[in-house]
Amino acid sequence: MTGVPASAAGGSAKAKGPMTSAASVSGGASASVSGGASGASGGAKSARGGKLAAAAVDQASVWNIANLLTMLRLLLVPGFVALMLADGGYDPAWRSLAWAAFAIAMITDLFDGHLARAYNLVTDFGKIADPIADKAIMGAALICLSALGDLPWWVTIVILGRELGITLLRFIVIRYGVIPASRGGKVKTLTQGVAVGMYVLALTGWLATLRWWVMAAAVVLTVVTGLDYVRQAIVLRRQGIAERRAASEEADA
């Protein structure tokens, strides 16, 4: 007989069963080890990615070029006041140095915000310090000029009142959105800087008359743009309230 006895065949089948089982266990263990290794590799990559992300955040730290320009502007404020009031405040040489400090502050104001946005250097410090530096140098110049009798106090009060009021208004409506800087606001800032710079210099003759007209234009722009910001804030608040109400009604439905 050439056939294999049934008992032997059964034994062979049974023998194959444990071998298959062992192979499957071996495959599972191999897959598990491979998966663990892959997971560990993925974890390592994730950790490296986290470190790279942290490094990227560190690059946009407080110590970047945009914030350094803002810090420089803040440091120029006391220096400007000292130069402006030196020797009684009417010496043309000291006033020229004060104008140079004011001009540097205005120029850095033009560049720090642009650099922060262009190179992703926006930081919480910059968001707070930049507007403070702007208001500080402009406020110091206006107060010094009014204290010396070169500029009427009502002009200083109107300009500084508008700047502080709009800053406060931005914080009040920030829960509904951000009021963007308008083109009129940028023109206003430039006109204010030119006008105040002309008053800081000891100008005479037709230049002294010209600076009066430039300051008048700055005051008009200050008031008009201020009213426009108030209008934008009211519209933004109404839109925010309407959107919240609609979202609440949709959630209830």
Side-chain angles (χ1 to χ4, degrees):
M1 292 175 60
T2 58
V4 179
S7 60
S12 176
K14 286 179 183 177
K16 285 183 183 178
M19 289 178 64
T20 305
S21 245
S24 123
V25 169
S26 172
S30 175
S32 174
V33 170
S34 173
S38 175
S41 174
K45 288 181 181 177
S46 176
R48 286 196 297 271
K51 290 180 180 178
L52 290 174
V57 171
D58 290 339
Q59 288 176 2
S61 65
V62 173
W63 303 105
N64 61 62
I65 184 63
N67 285 344
L68 289 175
L69 289 175
T70 300
M71 292 177 197
L72 173 63
R73 196 156 69 256
L74 285 168
L75 292 174
L76 282 172
V77 174
F80 166 80
V81 173
L83 292 169
M84 190 72 183
L85 301 179
D87 199 15
Y90 296 103
D91 187 290
W94 288 113
R95 293 284 285 260
S96 297
L97 291 174
W99 177 86
F102 182 81
I104 292 171
M106 290 294 100
I107 291 171
T108 59
D109 181 33
L110 295 175
F111 284 103
D112 59 357
H114 173 72
L115 289 172
R117 290 186 296 271
Y119 296 99
N120 196 26
L121 300 175
V122 177
T123 63
D124 291 337
F125 172 82
K127 292 176 184 177
I128 296 172
D130 184 64
I132 291 175
D134 297 343
K135 306 297 183 292
I137 190 67
M138 184 60 69
L142 290 168
I143 291 172
C144 285
L145 288 171
S146 293
L148 292 171
D150 293 341
L151 190 68
W153 274 106
W154 70 265
V155 174
T156 296
I157 292 171
V158 167
I159 294 177
L160 291 185
R162 183 268 189 200
E163 298 301 330
L164 295 175
I166 295 303
T167 300
L168 179 61
L169 187 63
R170 285 177 182 272
F171 280 111
I172 291 174
V173 300
I174 198 169
R175 69 182 70 177
Y176 305 110
V178 177
I179 304 176
S182 64
R183 183 172 298 178
K186 294 177 182 178
V187 173
K188 177 270 306 177
T189 301
L190 178 61
T191 308
Q192 280 183 359
V194 173
V196 171
M198 293 179 74
Y199 268 86
V200 170
L201 285 173
L203 299 178
T204 57
W206 67 272
L207 287 174
T209 304
L210 177 62
R211 72 182 181 182
W212 186 91
W213 287 105
V214 177
M215 181 59 76
V219 171
V220 171
L221 286 170
T222 297
V223 174
V224 171
T225 55
L227 293 175
D228 183 59
Y229 275 120
V230 171
R231 179 192 63 79
Q232 290 185 59
I234 293 173
V235 171
L236 187 63
R237 182 177 180 274
R238 286 177 179 173
Q239 289 177 347
I241 291 174
E243 288 174 0
R244 288 187 177 185
R245 186 175 299 164
S248 177
E249 290 175 356
E250 184 179 351
D252 292 340

